[in-house]
Amino acid sequence: MKAVAGTRDRSLSTARARAAKHLGWLFVSLLLVLCMFVIIGRSGVRPETASNPDPTSAGLTVADYSKFSHSSPREHADLMGRGNCASCHRRADGALEPKFPQHKDCTGCHLVQFTASNTSSSTNAICTICHKPEGLNSSSAPLKTFPRLMSFAAEFDHAQHLKGIESARPGQGCAACHSSANRGVAESIPTRLSAHQVCYECHSAGKSASNTASCGSCHRLGSYSPTSIAARSFRVGFSHADHGPRERLNCDRCHDVRGRGLPQARQVTSIAPVQHIANSRAQNCLACHNGQRAFGESANFTECARCHKRTGFRSGE
């Protein structure tokens, strides 16, 4: 009988020990849960948002899908090979204004952004890159005007066009790109969409320079600064209209085309700043206005107003 009672006592002791252990773990678990709620309460974060924190409140950068950049993120930059432009911007009809990409060009990477619901706004941010917010939910959402050239440079090489392969040279020479501007005083320089109109005369499918008709033939990532058609000589009475075919003059009488690959501002020479003194490094007015070639031998060049017509002109300007 004593042996049976001893066995029963040991079983009761073991059961009590197990129960005490379970109670101990339960107490520790409740204590941890209580501590978590205390910490959450002090930080002001609601329990339902603790598992899904707001990235902005956590100091994380949220992508702005209402803006587009060719250079970032890296996936966009990887597409920026000079021959890859047509993968998004198609030029099938020769239109002067580039085309926006099609939806399929963007959804390959941004399907989530295109289809995600937006509870904070009635418009989807990524759609506003190409479309106007007004009428965005219509079946034919209106497109924005294609933006001006800001993140791309425009490259042109005068020597390549005027001294390169004979078949690639413009038939009209300089006049193929430059026309009278500022009432004949200056010559125009093609810019923006008017440049496309000039360039597409040769750089289009089926034309003489169709092998260099892609966007990357002229454009690369970089800043763009159009060349000014203002010049110092225009302020003293010079006019291109008075120095053209009527006087049997052409552009190379005053301008020399330098070698290929030079920066934009150094491709073509201008008249030397000092107009009255002969200069072997550049042509100047004296080459013709010497009392013999221009205006005849009896022309009087002692009168400054013959060329300097600006009101208030002073000698030495």
Side-chain angles (χ1 to χ4, degrees):
M1 294 293 291
K2 290 182 178 180
V4 174
T7 301
R8 187 180 299 161
D9 292 340
R10 284 194 296 273
S11 298
L12 288 173
S13 298
T14 303
R16 288 172 181 161
R18 288 177 179 172
K21 185 177 182 180
H22 284 302
L23 286 172
W25 280 113
L26 181 60
F27 176 77
V28 172
S29 300
L30 290 173
L31 184 61
L32 289 174
V33 172
L34 180 61
C35 291
M36 185 183 72
F37 274 98
V38 171
I39 293 172
I40 291 174
R42 288 182 176 178
S43 62
V45 180
R46 295 170 58 188
E48 60 268 26
T49 62
S51 59
N52 297 296
D54 181 3
T56 56
S57 64
L60 301 177
T61 302
V62 179
D64 183 358
Y65 289 103
S66 66
K67 298 178 181 179
F68 178 85
S69 171
H70 284 89
S71 57
S72 65
R74 179 183 56 80
E75 289 78 8
H76 286 177
D78 290 344
L79 292 173
M80 283 312 301
R82 297 189 74 161
N84 291 341
C85 304
S87 61
C88 293
H89 301 288
R90 293 161 182 79
R91 187 186 145 204
D93 57 358
L96 301 183
E97 185 171 321
K99 302 292 185 185
F100 280 106
Q102 298 178 5
H103 285 149
K104 64 181 181 180
D105 300 323
C106 304
T107 54
C109 296
H110 296 289
L111 183 60
V112 172
Q113 286 76 34
F114 269 88
T115 57
S117 60
N118 189 348
T119 58
S120 62
S121 175
S122 59
T123 60
N124 195 335
I126 199 169
C127 298
T128 61
I129 293 175
C130 301
H131 296 278
K132 298 177 181 179
E134 303 81 11
L136 190 59
N137 296 321
S138 65
S139 57
S140 56
L143 286 170
K144 291 181 175 179
T145 302
F146 203 86
R148 294 171 58 182
L149 192 67
M150 294 183 290
S151 56
F152 285 86
E155 298 177 339
F156 180 85
D157 196 312
H158 283 84
Q160 181 176 339
H161 287 79
L162 297 176
K163 294 184 176 181
I165 302 172
E166 183 72 31
S167 60
R169 299 178 189 177
Q172 297 175 275
C174 302
C177 299
H178 303 286
S179 58
S180 179
N182 292 355
R183 292 179 295 179
V185 172
E187 291 288 305
S188 68
I189 297 176
T191 59
R192 300 185 176 90
L193 294 182
S194 65
H196 281 176
Q197 184 173 12
V198 173
C199 298
Y200 287 0
E201 290 296 322
C202 298
H203 297 273
S204 293
K207 298 294 183 67
S208 59
S210 59
N211 60 327
T212 53
S214 65
C215 306
S217 299
C218 297
H219 300 293
R220 59 171 175 79
L221 281 173
S223 59
Y224 173 63
S225 177
T227 302
S228 172
I229 61 172
R232 179 182 176 184
S233 56
F234 301 159
R235 299 199 304 266
V236 296
F238 176 86
S239 173
H240 277 90
D242 296 334
H243 295 76
R246 186 175 56 191
E247 287 73 26
R248 292 176 295 176
L249 297 173
N250 52 27
C251 302
D252 60 13
R253 287 296 304 170
C254 299
H255 301 285
D256 296 323
V257 177
R258 291 171 171 165
R260 294 175 60 176
L262 292 173
Q264 179 175 290
R266 295 177 54 200
Q267 293 182 13
V268 180
T269 63
S270 296
I271 290 292
V274 179
Q275 309 288 351
H276 304 83
I277 303 174
N279 189 334
S280 60
R281 293 179 298 174
Q283 301 183 66
N284 65 6
C285 301
L286 191 63
C288 295
H289 295 273
N290 54 9
Q292 298 177 0
R293 177 177 171 81
F295 306 129
E297 297 182 6
S298 60
N300 178 14
F301 286 96
T302 61
E303 178 57 46
C304 299
R306 174 180 285 274
C307 296
H308 299 276
K309 300 175 182 179
R310 181 175 62 82
T311 303
F313 168 79
R314 294 178 302 171
S315 178
E317 287 188 357

